[in-house]
Amino acid sequence: MNILIVGGVAGGATAAARIRRDDENARIVLVERGPYISFANCGLPYHLSGVIAERDQLLVSSEEAFEARYAVDVRVRTEAITIDRSAKTVRLRELATGKEYDEAYDRLLLSPGAEPIRPRLPGIDSDYVFGLRNIPDLDRIIEHLQTRKPRRAVVIGGGFIGIEVAENLHERGLQTTLVEGAEQILAPLDVEMAAIVHGHLRDKNIELYLSDKVDRFEDKDDHTLVFLASGKRLQADLVVLAIGVRPETTLARACGLQLGTSGGIKVNEYLQSSDEAIYAVGDAIEVTQTIAGHAALIPLAGPANRQGRIAADNIVFGNTRSYRGTQGTSILKVFDLAAAATGLNEKALIAAAIPYRSAITHGGSHASYYPGAMSITLKLLYSPEGRILGAQAVGADGADKRIDVIATAIHAGLTVEDLTELELAYAPPYGSAKDPVNMIGYVAANVLDGTHEQIDWRALKDTDPASLQLIDVRTAEEFELGTIRGARHIDLDHLRGQLGQLDAHAPTVVFCQIGLRGYLAYRILKQSGFTDVRNLSGGYKTYSWAVNEQANPDIFDYENIKHRDPDEIEAEAGGNPCALVAHAGKRHSLDAVGLQCPGPIMKTWRAAEAMEAGEELEVIASDPAFARDIKAWAKKTGNELLSVETAKGRVTALIRKSKAGAPASAAQPAASASREKTTLVVFSGDLDKVMASLIIANGALAMGKPVSLFFTFWGLNVLRRTDAPKLGKPLMDRMFGAMMPAGVGKLNSITKMNFAGLGAWLIRKVMRDKGVQTPEALLKSLVDGGAQLIACTMSMDVMGIRREELIDGIELGGVAAFLGEAQESGTTLFI
């Protein structure tokens, strides 16, 4: 059998190798217009920065090696001009000599790929404007980089190639601008997921223009100007076009092969064209999207390889194997993040008129108590019946693993309920006992069974705040750092006690940072008679990402911009968790990796308190929200935020302690400043209430506010020493002492669901797993931070507690002491 293959790379080269394994006697001719039959086009951008150091590493196989191994007649730099279907011949032209001749075939396989879109814009033929589709394109850009030494690059297009090119040009040292005509980059992602990547690009000093298109190029003496539709002008020494691709169908169209509605070559399930002797694979063909069932163009390397293998078998053995369609699973590296997707996103589901629901979670790449856990934002799209329709993940570590699991689940026809039952590999360095895949399955399953009603960020944004009760159930310090317009703050731990202040029949939306506490608040309200309650999907984190300004135009000071070396940042961290380490001169570093909000802010505040005015503090944290939180903290405390950068999934902030060493509000009149004090009365010995007190007090300290805590009755147990001396006390006093916990570490009851002391143990375990500081550490930070801790002498007398039994740093006082503190306070809380 004579088999002619037009086009190499993924589909054509794979098919040639498979045909030879199927049939040792077949005559196989492979023609390729370019100089290489098989190269790693997905790796081209990474040679620009030197991540892939050697150009030859991109060459999968040479003409000689392929011929030797597979006995294939390979003809590179040979172009297929026309197909004569009746004669079963293809007219070929040798590009080096111009010689033309006919090659006969029994079966013809077309794998011409896709061609880059190059619009007819004025000035597009400039020597400063390049594309990147193959090795020759790469060689031209590398030569320009080496000979012209460009400093400023503009990349047109926010798809996979465009973002990879922008990243690698930036890593090479070029000041890089990315222009995208749509409202977001990365079309496979939904808006709120792409917003995470937008923020990361801004953190990396990539200048980002969205909803803006190129009008023309205009060359100057030593650069070109890029004119945008908005009227902006961008100066560039290098422009790379990455607008997209379209199927290369010139040959197919000319010989009368049927094209599909999407513009690709139409093929049947056997990858056979409208001519039974001609098969087609790869980016040039129209495929069936497996979930929607409609025709689509999905140019991905994995499907092209599978198609080449299936077409080869059908050519040799007859039509025995079917191609089941393309699901559309992809992933992209964006500096320190991975952005991955599978199936359909919201735009595609709406276009296909497929009903859907969505869920968003923010989990960890592995157990939070094991060092180095990174945040993963995971979005699931599913039908009202529970069929999985698509998923997206963005995170510094583990996004690929979760999308691969869900992609497999979609392929196998699993439901959201099945996600909750998947048994996935778990050990602290690799995952969690409840993997993010399990967790998002729980969320979706709860929505479907009616035990959880949600509202997404877009619907909430478009709702008049006056038309509903909007309740922020986060902590006071989280609320201080930013909230949603019109929100009322009620800490989740205080919600049950304030239900009477709410309208049980008014439309109500609750939210927290990531959605979990919002769900708990939702359950409390629903079981307390509230009739219309919804929880914000993905919490404040998703909402703030989505509604914030997505682009960051005009950020460059082209002469003075500086770039930091991520390895230098890693080296400075030193691996000493939460330790303040002195550097030469007046620079200190603080490692807050692994801590959740408000942990990094609290550590920052304590470290800043120990510094002298004018000294600098570099803080490294793994919570992606820290980049936003530290800006609010610096503004609130009056300290100077010098820079905020991200590298390898970590946020690094550089702060200079203000000379005044006082909050920004210190400039206000003294009477107003005194009302900044926070006073708490702690009369409960329940662990959950004590934790709420300590967290609020630490948060107030971190925001630069004076804090007083007045401990009375059972609250005195918080202050008891575990190593108290034996004292000669009366029998009744000794009985009290024996029945009460000796210190904050021994508190053994919680307000609700105590389970005979097991509840307190469970809370402590969850706190450890979630990276929440222990009550002992929170109490110590208050003492170390200068908070005023007062033990009520009257209660001490009643309960038979002596001063010697209390921890150091405690003041003794009575009701008058408390009233004096309350009079100076803007906030007084009883817990």
Side-chain angles (χ1 to χ4, degrees):
M1 181 185 296
N2 289 328
I3 301 168
L4 176 60
I5 301 173
V6 176
V9 195
T14 296
R18 178 69 174 179
I19 290 171
R20 176 55 70 221
R21 292 194 296 273
D22 287 344
D23 185 355
E24 185 63 25
N25 297 315
R27 178 176 179 268
I28 309 169
V29 177
L30 172 60
V31 299
E32 166 60 45
R33 181 166 48 193
Y36 307 102
I37 61 163
S38 185
F39 63 91
N41 52 358
C42 296
L44 298 179
Y46 297 99
H47 184 53
L48 297 176
S49 63
V51 170
I52 297 177
E54 299 297 331
R55 173 182 177 276
D56 289 349
Q57 293 177 279
L58 298 168
L59 303 178
V60 178
S61 181
S62 67
E63 176 183 358
E64 296 77 17
F66 202 83
E67 285 184 338
R69 174 157 297 179
Y70 297 108
V72 172
D73 182 357
V74 178
R75 305 175 191 176
V76 296
R77 295 185 178 87
T78 300
E79 182 179 15
I81 303 171
T82 58
I83 300 172
D84 186 336
R85 291 166 53 193
S86 59
K88 287 191 175 181
T89 61
V90 176
R91 188 72 174 175
L92 302 178
R93 176 191 294 141
E94 295 177 355
L95 297 180
T97 64
K99 176 185 175 182
E100 295 184 5
Y101 59 94
D102 292 329
E103 186 70 39
Y105 65 85
D106 297 311
R107 293 290 182 270
L108 172 63
L109 176 64
L110 298 179
S111 180
E115 60 179 348
I117 296 173
R118 192 176 177 91
R120 295 181 179 178
L121 297 175
I124 198 169
D125 295 326
S126 165
D127 291 340
Y128 295 99
V129 179
F130 298 84
L132 182 59
R133 183 65 180 168
N134 50 40
I135 295 288
D137 289 342
L138 176 66
D139 291 340
R140 284 189 286 270
I141 295 176
I142 291 294
E143 181 184 9
H144 186 83
L145 290 169
Q146 293 173 345
T147 59
R148 297 289 189 94
K149 309 293 183 186
R151 294 189 305 120
R152 294 156 299 191
V154 173
V155 179
I156 312 298
F160 283 31
I161 297 298
I163 293 173
E164 289 170 345
V165 168
E167 174 184 345
N168 284 277
L169 290 176
H170 176 276
E171 295 292 355
R172 191 182 177 98
L174 279 71
Q175 299 153 11
T176 305
T177 299
L178 183 65
V179 179
E180 168 56 48
E183 66 174 347
Q184 67 169 82
I185 60 173
L186 294 176
L189 299 184
D190 288 320
V191 172
E192 70 275 21
M193 300 296 286
I196 306 172
V197 185
H198 295 164
H200 191 58
L201 291 174
R202 293 196 301 269
D203 291 342
K204 289 295 186 179
N205 283 333
I206 297 293
E207 191 174 39
L208 182 62
Y209 290 87
L210 299 172
S211 302
D212 212 346
K213 297 183 178 181
V214 177
D215 265 353
R216 71 182 193 276
F217 304 93
E218 185 177 305
D219 284 354
K220 300 299 180 182
D221 290 340
D222 60 350
H223 64 275
T224 191
L225 288 178
V226 183
F227 288 79
L228 302 184
S230 62
K232 294 184 175 68
R233 300 180 185 182
L234 307 177
Q235 187 174 336
D237 307 315
L238 169 67
V239 177
V240 179
L241 296 176
I243 299 173
V245 296
R246 57 185 163 221
E248 172 55 85
T249 58
T250 305
L251 269 178
R253 186 185 300 109
C255 73
L257 292 181
Q258 185 178 352
L259 302 183
T261 55
S262 63
I265 302 172
K266 188 175 182 61
V267 295
N268 62 17
E269 61 181 304
Y270 305 112
L271 300 170
Q272 195 173 35
S273 73
S274 54
D275 185 322
E276 64 178 15
I278 302 176
Y279 292 74
V281 298
D283 296 352
I285 71 169
E286 181 180 82
V287 298
T288 299
Q289 207 290 326
T290 54
I291 297 169
H294 59 57
L297 297 173
I298 307 178
L300 294 171
N305 276 280
R306 292 198 306 277
Q307 293 160 14
R309 183 182 177 91
I310 291 171
D313 289 350
N314 290 336
I315 287 172
V316 174
F317 302 118
N319 293 337
T320 58
R321 296 187 59 193
S322 298
Y323 182 68
R324 297 167 60 180
T326 303
Q327 186 168 304
T329 303
S330 58
I331 190 167
L332 173 72
K333 176 185 179 296
V334 190
F335 289 101
D336 308 323
L337 293 181
T342 189
L344 301 178
N345 60 16
E346 287 195 53
K347 295 182 287 291
L349 289 167
I350 293 170
I354 298 175
Y356 72 93
R357 295 179 179 178
S358 68
I360 297 177
T361 60
H362 304 274
S365 57
H366 59 248
S368 58
Y369 57 83
Y370 187 87
M374 300 294 180
S375 176
I376 300 175
T377 299
L378 186 59
K379 179 173 184 177
L380 185 72
L381 297 156
Y382 55 99
S383 74
E385 297 75 36
R387 179 192 178 199
I388 305 171
L389 303 174
Q392 300 154 43
V394 178
D397 182 34
D400 53 344
K401 171 181 176 180
R402 275 70 191 196
I403 285 298
D404 281 345
V405 169
I406 297 178
T408 304
I410 292 175
H411 187 78
L414 302 185
T415 66
V416 295
E417 186 67 38
D418 293 320
L419 295 183
T420 70
E421 299 182 9
L422 290 180
E423 184 176 330
L424 304 175
Y426 162 60
Y430 303 108
S432 302
K434 292 180 181 178
D435 190 86
V437 172
N438 301 132
M439 291 301 296
I440 204 159
Y442 292 140
V443 173
N446 287 342
V447 170
L448 291 179
D449 67 18
T451 59
H452 189 188
E453 297 165 272
Q454 293 188 312
I455 183 172
D456 67 19
W457 68 270
R458 186 180 283 103
L460 180 58
K461 177 176 176 287
D462 294 339
T463 301
D464 181 0
S467 67
L468 50 77
Q469 290 182 124
L470 182 59
I471 305 173
D472 185 339
V473 299
R474 299 175 299 160
T475 62
E477 55 269 18
E478 290 174 291
F479 183 78
E480 282 273 348
L481 293 175
T483 189
I484 300 173
R485 182 172 63 92
R488 174 180 180 177
H489 178 240
I490 304 178
D491 191 306
L492 173 64
D493 295 338
H494 304 152
L495 180 60
R496 293 182 180 89
Q498 299 187 40
L499 294 177
Q501 302 175 21
L502 302 174
D503 184 349
H505 301 292
T508 302
V509 171
V510 294
F511 69 92
C512 64
Q513 188 70 7
I514 62 174
L516 177 58
R517 285 172 290 173
Y519 171 61
L520 299 177
Y522 167 87
R523 297 299 301 157
I524 291 170
L525 294 176
K526 288 294 287 187
Q527 295 178 73
S528 300
F530 285 69
T531 55
D532 183 0
V533 186
R534 286 170 293 171
N535 179 28
L536 177 59
S537 179
Y540 179 71
K541 179 179 282 192
T542 292
Y543 184 91
S544 60
W545 266 329
V547 303
N548 283 346
E549 183 67 36
Q550 298 299 305
N552 58 346
D554 308 321
I555 62 171
F556 283 143
D557 174 355
Y558 285 107
E559 299 301 323
N560 299 314
I561 190 168
K562 298 178 181 178
H563 301 282
R564 297 201 61 204
D565 184 353
D567 294 330
E568 178 186 345
I569 295 172
E570 290 288 324
E572 289 179 4
N576 189 4
C578 304
L580 181 66
V581 182
H583 283 251
K586 296 183 178 180
R587 172 73 64 84
H588 305 272
S589 68
L590 177 68
D591 189 340
V593 173
L595 296 180
Q596 293 187 357
C597 178
I601 291 293
M602 291 166 55
K603 293 288 184 183
T604 301
W605 170 76
R606 284 200 297 274
E609 284 292 298
M611 292 162 45
E612 299 293 331
E615 291 186 339
E616 295 178 356
L617 174 67
E618 186 177 68
V619 187
I620 303 175
S622 55
D623 181 3
F626 180 67
R628 183 177 64 248
D629 293 347
I630 193 63
K631 295 174 184 176
W633 177 87
K635 183 177 180 180
K636 186 75 175 177
T637 59
N639 292 298
E640 184 180 0
L641 182 61
L642 301 177
S643 66
V644 180
E645 300 177 350
T646 60
K648 301 182 180 177
R650 298 184 181 181
V651 179
T652 301
L654 184 61
I655 304 153
R656 181 182 294 127
K657 184 169 182 178
S658 64
K659 291 187 170 147
S665 59
Q668 299 173 355
S672 175
S674 69
R675 302 294 291 177
E676 286 286 304
K677 176 179 281 191
T678 298
T679 297
L680 296 94
V681 180
V682 184
F683 59 85
S684 172
D686 292 332
L687 177 60
D688 51 341
K689 292 181 178 179
V690 169
M691 280 294 297
S693 305
L694 299 181
I695 289 173
I696 292 171
N698 272 285
L701 270 183
M703 300 305 293
K705 297 182 179 182
V707 175
S708 293
L709 292 95
F710 189 78
F711 294 86
T712 183
F713 285 100
W714 305 113
L716 288 169
N717 293 323
V718 176
L719 305 180
R720 294 182 68 197
R721 302 172 65 103
T722 57
D723 58 347
K726 291 186 178 181
L727 302 171
K729 298 196 296 184
L731 176 62
M732 189 62 69
D733 291 352
R734 292 200 305 271
M735 290 177 62
F736 259 112
M739 291 186 294
M740 294 187 301
V744 68
K746 300 293 184 180
L747 299 181
N748 56 11
S749 66
I750 59 174
T751 310
K752 301 291 184 182
M753 299 181 296
N754 192 42
F755 302 126
L758 180 61
W761 178 86
L762 288 172
I763 281 185
R764 291 179 189 275
K765 180 181 184 304
V766 171
M767 288 191 300
R768 286 195 304 270
D769 292 349
K770 299 291 185 181
V772 178
Q773 286 187 290
T774 64
E776 296 93 327
L778 290 169
L779 184 61
K780 184 176 185 302
S781 72
L782 289 174
V783 175
D784 294 343
Q788 190 176 30
L789 277 63
I790 304 172
C792 176
T793 52
M794 181 273 293
S795 297
M796 290 174 64
D797 290 341
V798 170
M799 305 180 73
I801 297 176
R802 308 279 180 87
R803 177 65 184 83
E804 294 84 351
E805 297 178 84
L806 302 181
I807 62 175
D808 295 333
I810 303 300
E811 300 178 24
L812 302 183
V815 175
F818 157 67
L819 292 175
E821 295 301 322
Q823 186 174 1
E824 296 180 2
S825 300
T827 302
T828 302
L829 301 175
F830 289 79
I831 299 178

